[in-house]
Amino acid sequence: MKHLLVIGIGAGNPDYITMQAVKALNRVDVFFLMDKGKSKQALIDLRREICERYITDHTYRFVEAVSPERERGEGDYTASVDALNRARQQTFERLINEQLYDGQCGGFLVWGDPALYDSTLRILQAIQAAGRCEFDYEVIPGISSVQALAAQHKIPLNTIGRSVEITTGRRLAAGQSGEADSIVVMLDAEDSYQQVADRDTEIYWGAYLGTPDEILISGRLADVAEEIEHVRKAARAEHGWIMDIYLLRKP
Ligand SMILES: C[S@@+](CC[C@H](N)C(=O)[O-])C[C@H]1O[C@@H](n2cnc3c(N)ncnc32)[C@H](O)[C@@H]1O
């Protein structure tokens, strides 16, 4: 039987790695690195750095594969994500079938935590359900960008006894967020905080969290929204890519 470890590596700082993740890293024979193009090279490099730093008593190798990208455009978002996951499923199947022997352990290093806006677990479940390759797998949790954001701003996510919603920029912009007074927004390519009507809402924004390029800005939308938009645009132009997340706290 082949064994897979889906290891949450934390969202940016190599020190976010847990002891459980270090033990798991030291069991892996083959790491599968999914290359998402030039702009994400920094994220691949961090994965290699983590292996070099924490693997002390095991030989391992990397197998890099080009990760299929989502078709961007006006079409149905869910349909395009489904199509992307089918393409990724084929890539994962090929890697597991061709690069891992029976009895060996394969590792997927998942950014942040595998349970949050990441398709790896869904894809592995789909492969198992299709029955085209046999393996079992374990999941090692990691420090997500949500936790990193709260820690770096030194704030709790919730107000006393109230709910927290985690959503996407797309849903926020479409007015599809719920009743929670604390909303964490991820995957926002469009500055969707600018759509929030109540400008007394507080925002806690963070980009490249846990990395040397980290940027933090907080305050009332009325006071800081323009600054965030400006800083975000400049950082994106400088690095060629950006990863940012924010908490909105309704007044
Ligand atoms: C595909 S999701 C992956 C989330 C990841 N599994 C996690 O646990 O944080 C990518 C989104 O996570 C957020 N993100 C991840 N790492 C981040 C970081 N270091 N700084 C800011 N935002 C980050 C951004 O909103 C980004 O668009």
Side-chain angles (χ1 to χ4, degrees):
M1 177 71 93
K2 299 176 183 184
H3 192 70
L4 297 178
L5 291 170
V6 180
I7 306 172
I9 57 168
N13 186 334
D15 286 351
Y16 287 161
I17 288 276
T18 65
M19 291 309 296
Q20 189 188 16
V22 172
K23 287 181 192 164
L25 290 172
N26 279 278
R27 290 167 56 201
V28 172
D29 302 301
V30 183
F31 287 98
F32 299 117
L33 300 181
M34 309 305 281
D35 180 357
K36 289 185 183 166
K38 229 191 195 164
S39 61
K40 298 285 172 72
Q41 189 56 43
L43 307 188
I44 295 273
D45 291 347
L46 185 98
R47 286 172 169 86
R48 287 181 181 274
E49 184 193 329
I50 281 173
C51 291
E52 274 163 30
R53 199 198 285 191
Y54 294 109
I55 299 177
T56 50
D57 59 358
H58 197 82
T59 47
Y60 59 92
R61 65 189 175 93
F62 294 109
V63 172
E64 277 197 45
V66 176
S67 177
E69 292 277 1
R70 185 168 68 81
E71 293 285 333
R72 288 173 205 275
E74 293 304 302
D76 181 333
Y77 175 74
T78 311
S80 72
V81 172
D82 282 349
L84 171 67
N85 283 345
R86 276 195 300 278
R88 284 191 178 152
Q89 188 179 326
Q90 286 174 357
T91 306
F92 277 38
E93 272 183 32
R94 185 173 50 75
L95 291 174
I96 297 165
N97 279 331
E98 294 176 5
Q99 300 288 343
L100 207 59
Y101 297 116
D102 246 9
Q104 278 196 315
C105 184
F108 289 95
L109 302 180
V110 174
W111 194 257
D113 184 81
L116 194 61
Y117 289 113
D118 185 273
S119 302
T120 308
L121 298 178
R122 252 185 295 274
I123 293 170
L124 293 181
Q125 282 160 7
I127 296 174
Q128 278 190 328
R132 279 191 294 272
C133 59
E134 259 194 41
F135 58 86
D136 60 9
Y137 65 98
E138 284 169 65
V139 181
I140 316 295
I143 293 182
S144 71
S145 52
V146 177
Q147 291 156 289
L149 177 76
Q152 297 305 82
H153 278 288
K154 303 176 187 163
I155 50 165
L157 286 175
N158 60 291
T159 54
I160 297 171
R162 304 292 294 271
S163 311
V164 180
E165 177 177 351
I166 300 178
T167 191
T168 62
R170 178 179 292 267
R171 289 188 68 84
L172 182 75
Q176 289 166 331
S177 60
E179 294 300 308
D181 62 350
S182 301
I183 304 175
V184 177
V185 183
M186 304 174 70
L187 294 161
D188 183 2
E190 307 289 342
D191 299 291
S192 303
Y193 49 85
Q194 293 287 28
Q195 313 290 327
V196 175
D198 189 339
R199 304 314 274 172
D200 282 330
T201 299
E202 288 203 276
I203 184 168
Y204 296 87
W205 179 80
Y208 314 104
L209 289 165
T211 77
D213 300 313
E214 179 175 284
I215 314 170
L216 300 172
I217 298 176
S218 63
R220 286 187 323 137
L221 282 174
D223 299 327
V224 299
E226 297 309 318
E227 181 191 351
I228 292 173
E229 188 171 340
H230 174 75
V231 168
R232 186 178 187 283
K233 198 171 167 197
R236 188 180 190 168
E238 184 190 337
H239 297 278
W241 59 281
I242 189 160
M243 269 194 319
D244 61 334
I245 179 169
Y246 49 92
L247 170 70
L248 294 172
R249 185 98 76 208
K250 293 177 191 163

